[in-house]
Amino acid sequence: MALDDLKSALPGYAKDLKLNLGSVIGNSDLPQQQLWGTVLACAIASRSPKVLAELEPEAREQLSEDAYTAAKAAAAVMAMNNVFYRTRHLLSDPEYGNLRAGLRMNVIGNPGVDKVDFELWSLAVSAINGCGMCLDSHEQVLRKAGLDRETIQEAFKIAAVLQAVAATLDAEAVLAQ
């Protein structure tokens, strides 16, 4: 199993990551589509070829074709939006907030899967990309849709662990050279 391969690839000093990786994916209370869409979107957002290569086959197996495509779309559109909105928020000139974005993001309105699932995946990717404005926006949509804080936190726990696994494995690959 790819999850076991990822865990075994982690160095001894990252024992907590091994345990957390098994926990956030193997013991998640999220429904399969929400879980594996979050995993796939976060694996893409982590920018780690190893993490993506190990987790993508299981995600493809667990997700419908529409959900698989939508999870990839969430990672793609959030890669753009997180940079744009994070920059707009960080600039000291508030007038940028009054300008039209002028960026296409139609997939958010029509993702091809349940809107809640897409929003959850978008929130998780936004956590990896560090965009507070997007995190707030997606969290508010999810809360209005009836998701509780524990469910929302499951998504950003997955994001946190996958990002840490990616950073650790990528660092070890460089150090081994």
Side-chain angles (χ1 to χ4, degrees):
M1 178 182 189
L3 186 57
D4 290 334
D5 292 340
L6 271 181
K7 289 193 300 189
S8 67
L10 288 165
Y13 66 81
K15 182 179 179 185
D16 289 332
L17 294 182
K18 289 180 189 188
L19 296 172
N20 288 331
L21 185 59
S23 177
V24 299
I25 295 176
N27 298 325
S28 177
D29 290 331
L30 293 176
Q32 287 297 302
Q33 180 164 298
Q34 287 181 356
L35 170 64
W36 284 101
T38 302
V39 168
L40 179 60
C42 288
I44 293 168
S46 78
R47 297 170 185 84
S48 171
K50 176 136 180 92
V51 169
L52 182 57
E54 293 295 337
L55 295 175
E56 184 276 337
E58 180 79 13
R60 184 181 285 278
E61 185 177 304
Q62 296 294 330
L63 295 169
S64 68
E65 191 60 38
D66 287 344
Y68 179 84
T69 300
K72 293 191 308 181
V77 75
M78 287 299 106
M80 174 185 69
N81 284 0
N82 294 155
V83 171
F84 181 81
Y85 287 105
R86 182 177 62 235
T87 301
R88 190 185 255 191
H89 175 73
L90 291 172
L91 289 170
S92 60
D93 183 349
E95 289 303 311
Y96 286 99
N98 296 325
L99 299 176
R100 184 177 165 274
L103 297 172
R104 294 194 183 274
M105 49 190 98
N106 295 331
V107 71
I108 294 172
N110 187 18
V113 295
D114 187 284
K115 179 90 167 132
V116 168
D117 293 354
F118 191 83
E119 289 288 333
L120 194 67
W121 304 336
S122 296
L123 176 126
V125 171
S126 296
I128 288 174
N129 292 333
C131 182
M133 183 176 265
C134 291
L135 283 166
D136 281 342
S137 174
H138 296 295
E139 190 269 347
Q140 289 171 13
V141 170
L142 290 166
R143 295 287 289 147
K144 285 179 185 170
L147 263 66
D148 58 31
R149 287 178 180 87
E150 291 78 10
T151 300
I152 294 168
Q153 181 171 281
E154 281 295 310
F156 64 83
K157 279 172 50 178
I158 292 167
V161 172
L162 288 184
Q163 180 61 27
V165 168
T168 302
L169 292 177
D170 290 353
E172 285 298 310
V174 170
L175 295 172
Q177 293 177 354

